[in-house]
Amino acid sequence: MPLTRRDLIKRAGAAGLVAGWPGLSLAQSGGGILRMPPLVDATTSRAFDLLARTGETNFLGQSATSTWGFNDQTFLGPTLRLAHNSLTKASVRNSVSEPFSLHWHGLEIPGQADGGPHQPIATSTTWAVDLNIDQPPATVWYHSHTHLRTADHVQKGLAGVIQLTDGRDDERGLPSDYGTDDLTLVIQDRRFDRSGRAVYDPGMHDRMMGFTGDVILVNGQFGAQAVVPKGIVRLRLLNGSNARIYNLASRAGRTLHMVSTDTGFLDRPISIDSLQLAPGERAEVLLDFSDGTSDMLVSSSIANGGMMGGGMMGGGMMGGGMMGGSGGSFDILPISVDPSRRARIDRIPEGIGGTMPDLDIRGASR
């Protein structure tokens, strides 16, 4: 049975996702069906445009937050689908109030095209760059990488997902229907004030251990649930948080069949019980919903450790040490099954033919 609003409210309250706001519930947040970022498919045109813009986003159904986004989005940007072996022309226009740089995180490209802190885009100017892509298919991402402003800019919304593809996912037996059986999930934690506005105000502890929030957003949405067909579903997971490490699992005990890491496809799926993702990491997993039952993507808490740095985006990428720790668990995303949705894939593929033949993953079954 699909998860009801009452189920969502109970689970959110039990998980402590709304800590700090007395009486706040998913019913107040709006909930609803999880939306995918708009898809920009540049595999044929070999060109795409991004316009950084200001806007307002009401995350919790209370007061709106001033946010930044790309194109028609007030928060985050579209999913870019690019050919894995192409020369793709990118145009990035800055219409926000300060310079930013845009980094293609995971693309193996020359430094002059990488969009690091050395390449700020001034307000009201456009950066035109050729992306000479030659690497295996993978899920990568883009985000502001501005000197001393990376964390603040990504908190505001300057980030999005890139799918590198060779067009052969159907041959591999992988779900590939965007937003139906192939879900892009940008997982981020945020802090909000009592009026419901997102805030980024790191104190001394945050600068040492990493800025973490107590509300989980998926694709910039709070309290939404994914709806999937009764079959095999692909989750493209991005940890877009500043410092939080996730240890993702199925509450119902479903096996996660890992098919891809940051750098591309595995040779074959690997069955795991949980998946740990540090800030900036990506992975792709398959889940089998052919039994028609709903589920919840959850995470156990992992404490940050080490000296200084402030996490992935505290000032420089991967600035602080990440050390394992454990705590409670919390909900990430409820997933409901809609039998009326077409299930294109009904079994886990035996082989994928990726470039990574074997992985020594803790908890993997072989």
Side-chain angles (χ1 to χ4, degrees), residues 106-312:
L107 290 190
E108 300 171 5
I109 54 178
Q112 64 266 26
D114 192 50
H118 61 297
Q119 294 173 303
I121 308 168
T123 300
S124 300
T125 66
T126 298
W127 180 42
V129 60
D130 290 344
L131 304 179
N132 193 1
I133 304 169
D134 184 15
Q135 64 190 91
T139 296
V140 298
W141 65 307
Y142 60 95
H143 61 80
S144 173
H145 198 344
T146 311
H147 183 53
L148 298 179
R149 299 288 286 162
T150 299
D152 187 49
H153 286 179
V154 175
Q155 289 271 327
K156 280 185 168 69
L158 291 188
V161 173
I162 301 174
Q163 296 180 1
L164 298 180
T165 180
D166 60 4
R168 298 178 51 214
D169 282 358
D170 285 345
E171 295 177 32
R172 297 183 176 96
L174 294 176
S176 60
D177 188 354
Y178 185 77
T180 301
D181 61 6
D182 184 354
L183 306 186
T184 293
L185 304 180
V186 181
I187 304 172
Q188 298 172 305
D189 59 345
R190 290 292 185 267
R191 293 183 194 174
F192 292 84
D193 63 22
R194 289 184 175 272
S195 65
R197 296 186 180 91
V199 294
Y200 178 68
D201 54 354
M204 180 61 70
H205 181 270
D206 299 316
R207 294 183 185 280
M208 293 180 65
M209 309 305 293
F211 185 88
T212 56
D214 45 14
V215 171
I216 298 297
L217 303 178
V218 179
N219 295 347
Q221 299 155 59
F222 169 66
Q225 64 174 321
V227 179
V228 300
K230 188 178 177 181
I232 307 301
V233 174
R234 178 183 189 174
L235 305 184
R236 299 178 188 250
L237 301 161
L238 162 65
N239 181 353
S241 301
N242 180 67
R244 184 178 295 279
I245 306 169
Y246 296 96
N247 193 38
L248 302 169
S250 155
R251 172 166 289 165
R254 278 185 171 84
T255 298
L256 308 182
H257 302 274
M258 187 175 185
V259 296
S260 183
T261 68
D262 300 77
T263 56
F265 288 124
L266 307 179
D267 183 55
R268 59 184 174 80
I270 294 180
S271 300
I272 54 178
D273 297 325
S274 62
L275 173 65
Q276 184 168 307
L277 285 183
E281 286 189 317
R282 293 87 58 205
E284 299 179 30
V285 298
L286 305 181
L287 275 73
D288 186 353
F289 285 94
S290 59
D291 62 2
T293 61
S294 300
D295 205 344
M296 178 74 76
L297 187 66
V298 298
S299 176
S300 56
S301 295
I302 300 176
N304 291 355
M307 294 297 293
M308 302 302 291
M312 183 188 74

Side-chain angles (χ1 to χ4, degrees), residues 79-92:
T79 297
L80 305 175
R81 181 174 290 166
L82 310 180
H84 78 111
N85 58 349
S86 66
L87 177 61
T88 297
K89 296 183 176 297
S91 173
V92 184

